[in-house]
Amino acid sequence: MRVGLLGGSFNPAHGGHRHVATVALRRLRLGQVWLLVSPGNPLKHPHGMAPLAERLASATALVVDQPRIIATALERQLGTRYTVDTLARLRRLFPHVRFVWLMGADNLRQLPAWRGWLSIVARTPFAVLPRPGYNAEALVGAAASRRRRARRPSAQATLLAGTEAPAWLFLPAREDAASATALRSAAAASTSPMHPTLTSTRG
């Protein structure tokens, strides 16, 4: 089994998450993609974070028609909050599964801020998908530069899951500009008493 892991807050889940998962599923020839809905992202302030059950429900609804993409609160069940710990537990629980970590270019840029990031990239192959406004900076950033010798050409995408780490690649694909931050801002604006949509003239 070849499984892609896409972690995040999913606050809420949106089309960008689905796009990354479906592209990775097809281009990396994965058996499944697991959406790891975090119980609490250590790099994000808890203010404005919806309850885990609500975020998991949004992720589940997003892929309801995609049986090979599975939304899960696995980190809550494992009792882990950091990716390095989650991956270590998953390797012990599923020794015969080949895991690939999936991330957008925005996360590649901030990867050195993650706990144990060198261990993550040393032990787990990962694929980076484009994100508007982040790609060029991420590909010359600290993480990409530190692991430049481990980078594989995108033409080898189908081999990544079976490649021993360290190994990673940038997977060119259509960029999806959807963001959870923008969705939350739009939702807040639509419920504001000062928002003009509440004074619609439609009958």
Side-chain angles (χ1 to χ4, degrees):
M1 176 70 79
R2 297 149 58 105
V3 174
L5 301 172
L6 179 60
S9 300
F10 297 90
N11 186 42
H14 55 72
H17 295 127
R18 180 186 171 105
H19 174 65
V20 167
T22 54
V23 168
L25 194 68
R26 182 181 72 255
R27 300 274 298 277
L28 302 178
R29 302 234 182 124
L30 302 173
Q32 295 179 347
V33 170
W34 298 354
L35 307 182
L36 302 182
V37 184
S38 172
N41 188 327
L43 296 179
K44 293 185 178 179
H45 196 281
H47 177 72
M49 188 68 66
L52 175 61
E54 183 177 322
R55 293 183 285 115
L56 177 60
S58 77
T60 300
L62 185 75
V63 295
V64 67
D65 61 338
Q66 297 284 330
R68 292 166 60 200
I69 304 177
I70 302 166
T72 172
L74 190 59
E75 288 184 306
R76 167 62 63 85
Q77 298 169 26
L78 295 176
T80 59
R81 292 185 65 216
Y82 295 95
T83 299
V84 64
D85 299 327
T86 299
L87 289 172
R89 290 291 303 279
L90 289 176
R91 282 191 293 268
R92 288 197 295 270
L93 288 170
F94 305 102
H96 301 298
V97 173
R98 302 304 299 250
F99 290 110
V100 177
W101 187 259
L102 308 174
M103 70 173 77
D106 51 335
N107 278 326
L108 176 63
R109 186 187 66 166
Q110 68 164 4
L111 187 59
W114 294 18
R115 175 180 289 186
W117 79 275
L118 288 173
S119 177
I120 293 172
V121 301
R123 303 192 65 185
T124 308
F126 66 96
V128 180
L129 282 93
R131 287 280 290 160
Y134 292 99
N135 304 321
E137 184 180 351
L139 290 174
V140 297
S145 298
R146 184 78 174 263
R147 288 299 182 184
R148 64 183 179 278
R149 293 184 179 178
R151 184 176 176 181
R152 303 291 187 266
S154 60
Q156 295 181 10
T158 59
L159 305 177
L160 184 65
T163 302
E164 291 297 323
W168 69 281
L169 54 79
F170 180 79
L171 196 60
R174 175 181 64 81
E175 296 183 17
D176 193 305
S179 82
T181 300
L183 289 174
R184 291 195 303 274
S185 297
S190 69
T191 57
S192 170
M194 299 300 292
H195 195 271
T197 58
L198 298 183
T199 58
S200 172
T201 59
R202 290 183 297 170

